[in-house]
Amino acid sequence: MEDNKKTEVVFTEEQEALVVNSWNAIKKNSGELSVKFFKRVLEIAPPAKQMFSFLRDSNVPLEENPRLKPHAMSVFLMTCESAAQLRKAGTVTVRESNLKKLGATHLKSGVKDEHFEVTKQALLDTIKEAIPEMWSTDMEKAWGEAHDQLANAIKAEMHANANKAET
């Protein structure tokens, strides 16, 4: 039986600063980075293309896909925002309606828990490549924790949706 207590995450001011400062350094190139991010996801896990409705039946190169950049941007932005929320609230605070939609969409697309590791690695690789002069083990841990907490919130909503579908 699972209790409903939230595990408080200790996300330090330094970790938040690492994520926010690096995001500020890369966001001007976020369109280009979003394409690199998706290319990295597909390098790590080529079958992932089938999980994205806007990529599944598309023969358009990634760089020309009109829906790719906005989607990837939302991943970067939500991860960055979750870092700031982690420090302030001790938990990811995505609007409940957004979280429910994310959970339902990821469940419908067939996303499994292990797929989040692919997006995490692609995110970290993309940021490291974009700002190698700023990259550090501490920055990697900060972005990784921000990603993991957001992923955990989405996974919890996916599991809640799956349980509702079973009843």
Side-chain angles (χ1 to χ4, degrees):
M1 189 164 107
E2 192 177 292
D3 63 19
N4 289 331
K5 283 190 226 170
K6 289 184 182 177
T7 306
E8 186 161 320
V9 177
V10 178
F11 197 75
T12 67
E13 190 173 343
E14 291 79 17
Q15 287 176 306
E16 179 189 23
L18 286 167
V19 172
V20 172
N21 291 340
S22 56
W23 171 245
N24 287 335
I26 64 174
K27 69 180 171 185
K28 65 184 175 295
N29 298 324
S30 55
E32 171 191 330
L33 292 175
S34 63
V35 173
K36 286 183 179 187
F37 167 73
F38 261 94
K39 281 185 173 180
R40 185 68 184 124
V41 166
L42 298 177
E43 284 170 12
I44 296 169
K49 182 177 181 181
Q50 297 308 309
M51 301 181 116
F52 298 97
S53 60
F54 59 91
L55 295 178
R56 190 176 305 127
D57 299 318
S58 175
N59 294 322
V60 176
L62 285 179
E63 296 84 358
E64 296 173 24
N65 188 307
R67 292 181 54 204
L68 178 125
K69 286 180 185 178
H71 183 81
M73 279 291 300
S74 70
V75 172
F76 277 103
L77 189 57
M78 276 195 299
T79 305
C80 185
E81 287 175 350
S82 74
Q85 296 161 1
L86 278 173
R87 196 172 82 68
K88 291 182 187 96
T91 186
V92 172
T93 55
V94 177
R95 276 200 344 238
E96 189 176 343
S97 60
N98 288 353
L99 198 54
K100 286 188 181 308
K101 183 179 177 189
L102 285 167
T105 301
H106 283 79
L107 183 67
K108 183 180 171 189
S109 297
V111 174
K112 306 276 187 256
D113 288 359
E114 59 270 17
H115 295 143
F116 288 95
E117 287 303 312
V118 172
T119 60
K120 178 180 178 178
Q121 190 59 55
L123 181 75
L124 296 175
D125 290 351
T126 302
I127 296 166
K128 180 179 181 179
E129 183 184 320
I131 47 171
E133 70 287 352
M134 290 177 75
W135 191 253
S136 67
T137 303
D138 288 342
M139 183 179 287
E140 180 177 17
K141 286 179 185 172
W143 272 100
E145 184 63 32
H147 173 279
D148 289 349
Q149 292 303 318
L150 178 60
N152 289 342
I154 295 169
K155 287 189 269 190
E157 194 57 43
M158 286 171 57
H159 295 301
N161 282 326
N163 291 339
K164 284 179 199 169
E166 290 173 8
T167 57

